[in-house]
Amino acid sequence: MFAVLGVVGGIGSGKSTVCRAVTELLPVTLIDGDRLGHEVLTESAVIEKLVRQFGQTILDTEGRIDRKTLGKVVWSNDESGFPRLKELEQIVHPRIQERMKTEIELARTSHQCGVLLDAAVMLESGWSQICDRIIFIDRPDQARKAAALARGWSEQQWIQREQSQWTLADKKTKADFVIDNSGGLELAVRQLMDYAQQEFQWG
Ligand code: ATP
C-alpha cells in the first residue's frame, strides 16, 4: 500500500544519504525538504513577503533572494535575543507543505510504492501530519558533529542550529521506527529498506 514515510534525525545523522540509497533499490520517490525550501524562495509571492519582513537587502541585483544574506539575517537575534528564523519559517513553511503534498500526489499517481520525505524539521513544522509513519535516524553526536564541521560549519553554527531544532530525545519519542546509524552506511540502508518494504506491503 502506498505510504509516506517521514525521515527525521539530528543534523548530519544521514537522512539524505540513507534515503538516496534506498531510492536506488526500491520504486520510491524521495522528497527533499531542503530542495523544496530553496524552490519556494523563487516564488514571487514568497519573495514579496520576505522583503516586507526582512528588507530589500536580502535581494541580489537581479531581484532574486540572496540565500547567503537571508541566512545571516535569520540567524541573527531579534530584540528579545531569539534568532529571526521563526519569522522566515512562518512565511515559507506553508508553501513547502503545499509543494510536498503536490509531489506526494504525483508519486501516488505515478504508481510509486511510496514516498520518503526527508525533512530535518518535520516535527517542529507539523509536516509529520502528512506522513503515515515517522522514522528516526540515530547517529552518535560525535559523528554528526564531524559531518557538520566537514561541511564548513563553525562550532558556533553547529550549536546554534542544534538548539534551533527539537531535542533528539523528543524526536525519537515521536518516531514509529528507529534506525541505528552507528555502524556502516550499508547497515542503515538495509534497516530502512526492510522497514519501507514492510510498510509498503502491509501499511
Ligand atoms: P542534514 O540534516 O544536516 O541535511 P543529514 O541527516 O541529511 O544532514 P547526510 O547529509 O545524509 O545527513 O549525512 C552527513 C554526512 O555523513 C554525509 O557526508 C554522509 O555521507 C555521512 N554519513 C552518514 N551516515 C554515515 C555512516 N553510517 N558512515 C559514514 N558516513 C556517514
Side-chain angles (χ1 to χ4, degrees):
M1 200 159 113
F2 186 92
V4 179
L5 308 182
V7 181
V8 301
I11 295 162
S13 56
K15 298 181 291 296
S16 315
T17 313
V18 176
C19 286
R20 257 199 314 272
V22 169
T23 58
E24 284 165 21
L25 303 164
L26 292 178
V28 295
T29 296
L30 173 60
I31 302 178
D32 174 0
D34 283 345
R35 170 179 59 82
L36 296 184
H38 293 169
E39 285 178 9
V40 300
L41 295 181
T42 65
E43 295 179 9
S44 47
V46 170
I47 295 175
E48 255 173 54
K49 284 183 191 165
L50 290 175
V51 168
R52 230 175 291 139
Q53 190 71 26
F54 299 112
Q56 292 280 341
T57 53
I58 61 164
L59 296 180
D60 66 15
T61 50
E62 314 274 319
R64 290 176 303 218
I65 298 291
D66 179 347
R67 290 215 319 259
K68 215 168 162 190
T69 308
L70 179 63
K72 279 191 195 139
V73 175
V74 300
W75 287 106
S76 67
N77 290 344
D78 62 16
E79 302 92 52
S80 346
F82 288 105
R84 301 189 68 189
L85 186 65
K86 286 273 167 287
E87 300 166 40
L88 170 70
E89 290 176 343
Q90 271 167 10
I91 295 170
V92 298
H93 278 184
R95 281 300 305 144
I96 294 174
Q97 181 161 333
E98 286 305 310
R99 281 183 180 244
M100 283 175 173
K101 285 182 178 169
T102 305
E103 294 200 5
I104 289 169
E105 282 322 301
L106 196 64
R108 200 190 299 274
T109 52
S110 313
H111 305 294
Q112 292 288 78
C113 61
V115 162
L116 292 176
L117 184 53
D118 164 14
V121 292
M122 183 93 70
L123 300 163
E124 295 86 333
S125 59
W127 299 329
S128 45
Q129 285 167 11
I130 56 177
C131 299
D132 297 301
R133 298 279 184 268
I134 296 292
I135 298 164
F136 178 83
I137 303 202
D138 205 0
R139 193 176 182 212
D141 288 352
Q142 219 179 347
R144 294 191 306 100
K145 185 176 175 184
L149 299 191
R151 211 183 268 170
W153 287 13
S154 65
E155 182 85 23
Q156 197 205 349
Q157 280 175 313
W158 159 255
I159 294 168
Q160 197 180 30
R161 280 154 178 72
E162 277 275 284
Q163 284 174 350
S164 75
Q165 298 190 6
W166 279 18
T167 66
L168 298 182
D170 285 346
K171 290 188 187 193
K172 210 169 172 177
T173 308
K174 297 279 179 200
D176 299 291
F177 183 65
V178 175
I179 289 178
D180 174 10
N181 187 21
S182 60
L185 263 174
E186 273 172 38
L187 289 173
V189 172
R190 166 60 55 192
Q191 293 167 64
L192 180 55
M193 267 273 290
D194 289 349
Y195 183 75
Q197 273 180 313
Q198 175 196 313
E199 285 304 311
F200 297 150
Q201 271 169 8
W202 298 291

